Amino acid sequence: MREPSETGSADGGRRDVPGAVAPTAAAAAVGAAGRPSPAAPAAPAAGEAPARTLGRTGAQVEPVSLGGEGILRTTGRHREAVPVILEALRLGVRYCDTAPAYQQSQDYYGEAFRAAGPKAREQVFLASKTHARDRDGALRLLDDSLRRLGTDHLDSWQLHDLRELEELDAIFGKRGAIEAVEQARADGRVRHVGITGHHDPRILLEAMRRYPVDTVLCAVNPADPARLPFLTTVVEEARRRGVGVIGMKIMAAGRLLQDRAASATELIRYAASHADTVIIGCSSIAEVRENLGARSLSFPMPPAERAALEARVAPRAGRYDTFKAG
């Protein structure tokens, strides 16, 4: 069983955001009253982008969602990580991402849901993953995920970090992980199934051909068109099939920001113009507030502006796609 190797800092992909907001509300419990269900959101506040539908799942998501990395991909840092989730819940986040491979990320979510109250879990579309390619290993991971998250079901269970055709053969073969998916959907532990990958778009395309997945999580940033593009392959095919699209690596593990190749606002607008929602790992409450505040940005980014950003990034695109196949 291979745990996915992901590019990025354990302390988050956004390393240049100033900590302008002190975490004074860190441990505040989050009440669920007034927070809309993902399936039936309230009308957006003035200046906020309307919710989008996450493909055939029917779930309503916002342009920016909470990733499972950043401070959440750590071990033993509950006092810092749980308040990040609590703040996202307080701000009405609708989609939450995590995975068994992200150290104690699932434990932090479970603790945050308990602190936020009995309705908190119901207000979000919760996605976790399995890196096991066999039926029994995947089911063990699923039951452990449910225990750690403190829930009886996942809204989406994703086949994590698909890279090679041999993995697909194992997943879709006899006693492969797809049998776990079918069993878990039948008994209610899983509502929707997704795939994830940032290595090779051809593998995600083949996975979509082999099984009617509900969502795909893939890399989306302005360096993408230069080599092994996901946007013109995976995203286009997902749209054709009615599959929900979640964007990741939108800041190239922070390198686009470090090089001042683009601003965080540009990168969020770019990625969210292609995906239904983008996930960003956060390192602090300040980052949560800034990222989720992106709902007030103008979407979509006009095609000419997207093209100009791609052209600006292209000369150093190789620095920003190191997670792709060599």
Side-chain angles (χ1 to χ4, degrees), residues 121 146 149-154 187-191:
R121 161 66 185 94
L146 296 176
L149 290 163
T151 186
D152 62 0
H153 73 280
L154 295 175
D187 64 28
R189 284 178 288 175
V190 169
R191 292 182 176 171

Side-chain angles (χ1 to χ4, degrees), residues 220-246:
V220 180
N221 68 49
D224 180 74
R227 187 176 71 89
L228 292 176
F230 286 87
L231 291 173
T232 55
T233 56
V234 174
V235 173
E236 286 189 3
E237 182 65 12
R239 295 303 186 202
R240 190 181 74 80
R241 293 174 179 265
V243 172
V245 178
I246 306 115

Side-chain angles (χ1 to χ4, degrees), residues 2 161-169 199 203:
R2 171 177 63 83
D161 194 18
L162 303 180
R163 296 188 178 213
E164 307 291 343
L165 283 174
E166 290 78 8
E167 293 177 278
L168 298 187
D169 291 340
H199 188 66
I203 303 304

Side-chain angles (χ1 to χ4, degrees), residues 98-291:
T98 187
Y102 298 167
Q103 294 173 256
Q104 284 197 282
S105 181
Q106 295 184 122
D107 299 317
Y108 300 150
Y109 270 111
E111 185 173 334
F113 289 141
R114 289 190 296 274
K119 298 291 186 181
R121 161 66 185 94
E122 299 173 15
Q123 306 309 312
V124 299
F125 187 95
L126 181 60
S128 193
K129 310 178 180 77
T130 175
H131 53 266
R133 305 319 189 198
D134 64 296
R135 174 187 177 277
D136 292 345
L139 287 174
R140 282 193 295 271
L141 280 177
L142 174 60
D143 286 337
D144 186 59
S145 291
L146 296 176
R147 177 185 62 80
R148 293 167 68 181
L149 290 163
T151 186
D152 62 0
H153 73 280
L154 295 175
D155 296 296
S156 180
W157 194 29
Q158 300 163 326
L159 300 164
H160 194 184
D161 194 18
L162 303 180
R163 296 188 178 213
E164 307 291 343
L165 283 174
E166 290 78 8
E167 293 177 278
L168 298 187
D169 291 340
I171 287 167
F172 297 107
K174 186 175 181 179
R175 296 191 70 78
I178 201 64
E179 293 186 12
V181 167
E182 293 286 357
Q183 180 177 328
R185 292 181 87 171
D187 64 28
R189 284 178 288 175
V190 169
R191 292 182 176 171
H192 303 284
V193 60
I195 54 175
T196 88
H198 51 63
H199 188 66
D200 187 341
R202 293 168 295 187
I203 303 304
L204 296 186
L205 287 171
E206 179 62 22
M208 282 192 282
R209 294 187 187 107
R210 295 194 190 191
Y211 192 82
V213 299
D214 300 305
T215 66
V216 59
L217 168 62
C218 65
V220 180
N221 68 49
D224 180 74
R227 187 176 71 89
L228 292 176
F230 286 87
L231 291 173
T232 55
T233 56
V234 174
V235 173
E236 286 189 3
E237 182 65 12
R239 295 303 186 202
R240 190 181 74 80
R241 293 174 179 265
V243 172
V245 178
I246 306 115
M248 65 172 163
K249 307 297 183 192
I250 72 169
M251 299 176 190
R255 290 184 176 183
L256 284 161
L257 297 178
Q258 292 169 1
D259 293 353
R260 302 186 184 279
S263 69
T265 295
E266 288 177 309
L267 297 171
I268 291 172
R269 289 184 66 223
Y270 179 92
S273 296
H274 292 286
D276 299 316
T277 191
V278 299
I279 55 172
I280 308 177
C282 298
S283 296
S284 66
I285 287 175
E287 286 188 15
V288 172
R289 292 172 179 168
E290 183 170 352
N291 290 335

